[in-house]
Amino acid sequence: MKRAYLDNAASTPIRDEVLKVMINTLKSSLGNPSSVQHSYGRETRSILEESRICIAKSIKAFPSEIIFTSGGTEANNLVLRSSVLNLGIKHILTSQLEHLSVLQTILDLSIRHEISVDFISFDKKGVLDFNDMETILKKNMYKKTLVSLMYANNEIGNLLEVDQVIFLCKKYKAYFHSDIIQGIGNSHINMEQLSCDFATVSAHKFYGPKGIGFAFIRKDILKNMKPFITGGVQEYGIRSGTENIYGIAGLSEALRLSYCNLKNHIKKIKNLKSYCIVELKKIFPNIIFNGLSSHLEKSIPSILNFLYPTKPDHLFYFHLDIMGIAVSKGSSCSSNNKKNHKISHVIQSITDKYLLTRMMPIRISFGIFNEKKDIDLLVEVLQKVRK
């Protein structure tokens, strides 16, 4: 049976080159990277630090600004919790469209540490209201504030107007954290240009291994950070525990390869997205795209989200899978629970409730290993399901 994997926003396939690096690292890195008393440990330490240098070079950062974590969720927790505990943050400004690892962590911090929280308003396309953002920042200008907004929305693909956010953060002396997990590897991110204070990354979104990521923390802020996980001196004393060497080596290689041919990869994925939009419009002339996902310049190339004309059925996505199509309704991090039949908080926030009683959201996410034949199979299956 023909199959098409179109859920790259959830996780991407690992590149063969990355697997090779990881396997070689598993075979060769016998020592503990903290055991620098002998050559085995020093050799493993060398892999760790060379990977850190390679990552920093790719994104135009300093090696000391890279703190390895178990993935994006831990990285978001590290940044948000450490900002409150170490930097004296008393106010957090975010949006209701963020990933749950940000929203639930902020909720927890607001309860445990009496942090005031505000949410920026947005329109039906998920576009943030920057006048509202400035009003909130001005109102709280005497509180130490952290702004947390993702670079590219993981469900509807909207690209953040980063320059506007940075301008307002600087104007009101607020710290800025950006979850760049969907953006990195799918767009050119340069930390010299993206002048945020914190950024968070997960390797399995750009053809690297699962279970590894990093937090970027500006060096002038890092000196004020205390341990997030205690019990050792790893990761500059911020995150104790023996480092995942083969995962880190895989992350480094995946990021290096992403940046090597990024222009061509973006072009390919954008062409796939354009082709998909055209083909979907042929079978659904009145198709409704969610957010700005169909706008090629204002959304990330890898994500397209639309409403499929069928009454809500939590088995709908399984039917598509049985017919060879792997897509999702939204974030995989919010799907693995007893309420997985519910529509995501992002789609509920921007979509008319009446429409959601008659239509199902579908998130298609493209990757570098997809071809036009995958889109053709998707369209064919959607037509069959509709009939």
Side-chain angles (χ1 to χ4, degrees), residues 212-247:
I212 188 69
F214 67 84
F216 163 86
I217 305 175
R218 292 278 175 200
K219 60 179 181 177
D220 57 330
I221 297 173
L222 194 62
K223 61 185 179 184
N224 297 316
M225 304 294 271
K226 295 177 182 178
F228 174 66
I229 297 177
T230 55
V233 295
Q234 293 89 349
E235 297 307 293
Y236 306 104
I238 302 298
R239 200 251 189 196
S240 298
T242 304
E243 292 92 346
N244 176 0
I245 297 299
Y246 61 92

Side-chain angles (χ1 to χ4, degrees), residues 98-106 150 154 331 333-335 337 345:
E98 302 304 302
H99 191 274
L100 289 180
S101 64
V102 168
L103 292 177
Q104 291 182 358
T105 303
I106 290 173
M150 65 170 69
N154 63 311
S331 173
C333 292
S334 61
S335 296
N337 58 57
H345 67 284

Side-chain angles (χ1 to χ4, degrees), residues 169-271:
C169 285
K170 287 183 175 179
K171 182 177 180 179
Y172 292 97
K173 296 180 173 57
Y175 291 101
F176 175 35
H177 160 240
S178 189
D179 172 337
I180 63 172
I181 291 170
Q182 291 295 337
I184 195 163
N186 287 313
S187 57
H188 187 76
I189 291 180
N190 177 331
M191 299 314 297
E192 289 179 353
Q193 296 172 354
L194 180 62
S195 55
C196 57
D197 301 292
F198 309 95
T200 40
V201 172
S202 189
H204 71 113
K205 307 296 187 179
F206 50 88
Y207 315 98
K210 301 172 184 66
I212 188 69
F214 67 84
F216 163 86
I217 305 175
R218 292 278 175 200
K219 60 179 181 177
D220 57 330
I221 297 173
L222 194 62
K223 61 185 179 184
N224 297 316
M225 304 294 271
K226 295 177 182 178
F228 174 66
I229 297 177
T230 55
V233 295
Q234 293 89 349
E235 297 307 293
Y236 306 104
I238 302 298
R239 200 251 189 196
S240 298
T242 304
E243 292 92 346
N244 176 0
I245 297 299
Y246 61 92
I248 290 169
L251 185 163
S252 173
E253 180 68 1
L255 191 61
R256 184 188 71 80
L257 290 170
S258 291
Y259 273 80
C260 278
N261 206 15
L262 188 59
K263 187 176 180 180
N264 288 334
H265 289 163
I266 292 173
K267 182 179 179 181
K268 177 182 179 178
I269 295 173
K270 192 174 282 190
N271 286 339

Side-chain angles (χ1 to χ4, degrees), residues 323-341:
M323 298 177 76
I325 295 296
V327 292
S328 72
K329 60 183 175 182
S331 173
S332 54
C333 292
S334 61
S335 296
N336 190 23
N337 58 57
K338 293 178 181 179
K339 298 179 180 179
N340 64 359
H341 61 280

Side-chain angles (χ1 to χ4, degrees), residues 102-118:
V102 168
L103 292 177
Q104 291 182 358
T105 303
I106 290 173
L107 174 62
D108 184 60
L109 288 168
S110 70
I111 295 170
R112 289 173 183 264
H113 302 284
E114 298 183 351
I115 305 300
S116 62
V117 179
D118 280 301

